[in-house]
Structures are given as C-alpha cells and as structure tokens.
Amino acid sequence: MSIGHTLLGLLESGPRHGYDLKRAFDAKFGHDRPLHYGQVYSTMSRLLKNGLVEVDGIEAGGGPERKRYAITEAGVTDVAQWLATPEKPEPYLQSTLYTKVVLALLTERDAADVLDTQRSEHLRSMRVLTDRKRKGDLADQLICDHALFHLEADLRWLELTAAHLDKLREAVAR
C-alpha cells in the first residue's frame, strides 16, 4: 500500500493535522497495522517537499506547533493517476513455502509434514478471519474476503503439491 497516496486521498476531503490523518488512516485501513506517528510526519514532509501538499495553517498548543496540511492540485492529480494505475498481480513465483517443501525433499525430511503444518496454520487463520468477517462491517467483510480468497488458493496449492510429492521428490533429486 502506498501510504503517501493514501494520506493524499484522505486530504482530498479537506485539510487535516498529522494526528487526524493517522486516526483516519487507522480507522479505514490500519486495523491490523496502524501507522506510527513518525511514519505520518515523515511522509507528510516528503509530500510537502514534492509539492503534493501544502501547510494550510499552524496552530500553537501546549506542545509543538500543529501543522494543518492541505492537498495541492498536483497532489490531486497524483492520486488520480495512482488510482487509475492497476496494481501488478503478485504471482508468488518465489514462494517461501515452495522453498521449504523442496528443501525438505532435498534434505530427506518429511515434506508432507511441512505441508500439513502449513495447512493447519492456514485453516487457523481462515477461522480467525471468518469470525472477524461475521462480526465486522462491510469494509471489514470485504478485506476479510480478500484474505480468505488468497488463503483458499494457497490451500488448493497445498493439496496439489501433496498429491505430487513423489514426482517432485524425483524432479528435485536430479
């Protein structure tokens, strides 16, 4: 996820302080990985330097001055271009799990155990996500579905690989 583009998008609804941007980001996108304040301010500093935001006001408070940021026209254009650009699908061609299976075979360990352990972990994660989906709002349901679909694809791969372990053992032994 591009944090800079996400913060710019949040600024399109109006100027905000860094603290408000962090809260909005965490509420909409950071359920599992909230932003650190330092990340917000370093990103805003970079966006300011690149002319994508401007300081809309400075307020004195009990602590340091609070800058209020506003998106510039260049920032709006940048967000629009980012939204219009498709994300590159990640094909997982260098999967850590595949590497573990092959290394288990090469070292004469039980690759089926590797697959079984991973299957159990995937199923555990799916139960957690399904429970979260059942209790969540629409946004949470959609993000959980995204993760669940990926886990289901992984489970299909685990089953396929388990069915071909003997052939794979022969292929990697050469």
Side-chain angles (χ1 to χ4, degrees):
M1 173 188 313
S2 170
I3 293 169
H5 287 111
T6 306
L7 294 177
L8 283 172
L10 290 171
L11 281 173
E12 281 201 52
S13 64
R16 298 182 193 210
H17 296 97
Y19 175 81
D20 297 327
L21 284 167
K22 180 205 176 338
R23 285 189 24 224
F25 181 97
D26 290 351
K28 299 286 185 202
F29 312 107
H31 296 302
D32 297 321
R33 291 183 8 193
L35 278 181
H36 296 286
Y37 284 105
Q39 199 171 10
V40 172
Y41 293 110
S42 64
T43 302
M44 295 312 295
S45 177
R46 183 177 44 81
L47 295 172
L48 186 63
K49 184 179 104 180
N50 293 335
L52 302 176
V53 298
E54 60 191 9
V55 175
D56 185 58
I58 298 176
E59 298 172 8
E65 292 179 332
R66 294 180 49 181
K67 293 179 184 174
R68 189 174 55 245
Y69 298 96
I71 192 168
T72 63
E73 284 302 315
V76 171
T77 300
D78 196 57
V79 171
Q81 289 172 344
W82 179 68
L83 290 173
T85 304
E87 290 296 309
K88 182 179 180 202
E90 296 187 28
Y92 301 109
L93 293 178
Q94 291 298 322
S95 163
T96 302
L97 183 54
Y98 174 77
T99 301
K100 286 183 173 186
V101 170
V102 170
L103 285 176
L105 293 171
L106 288 173
T107 59
E108 299 182 12
R109 290 182 172 90
D110 192 349
D113 282 350
V114 172
L115 293 171
D116 288 342
T117 299
Q118 192 62 49
R119 184 181 302 105
S120 294
E121 182 60 20
H122 270 60
L123 291 171
R124 185 198 64 74
S125 290
M126 290 176 85
R127 283 189 297 275
V128 169
L129 286 166
T130 300
D131 185 54
R132 176 176 163 182
K133 178 183 167 181
R134 190 174 20 259
K135 296 174 182 173
D137 60 11
L138 179 59
D140 221 24
Q141 291 169 14
L142 290 172
I143 196 69
C144 287
D145 276 339
H146 186 262
L148 285 164
F149 294 154
H150 281 272
L151 290 170
E152 287 172 5
D154 287 350
L155 283 175
R156 287 194 310 270
W157 181 85
L158 290 167
E159 295 303 321
L160 178 69
T161 304
H164 293 288
L165 272 181
D166 290 335
K167 289 180 185 175
L168 184 58
R169 183 178 288 108
E170 291 173 17
V172 299
R174 294 183 203 151

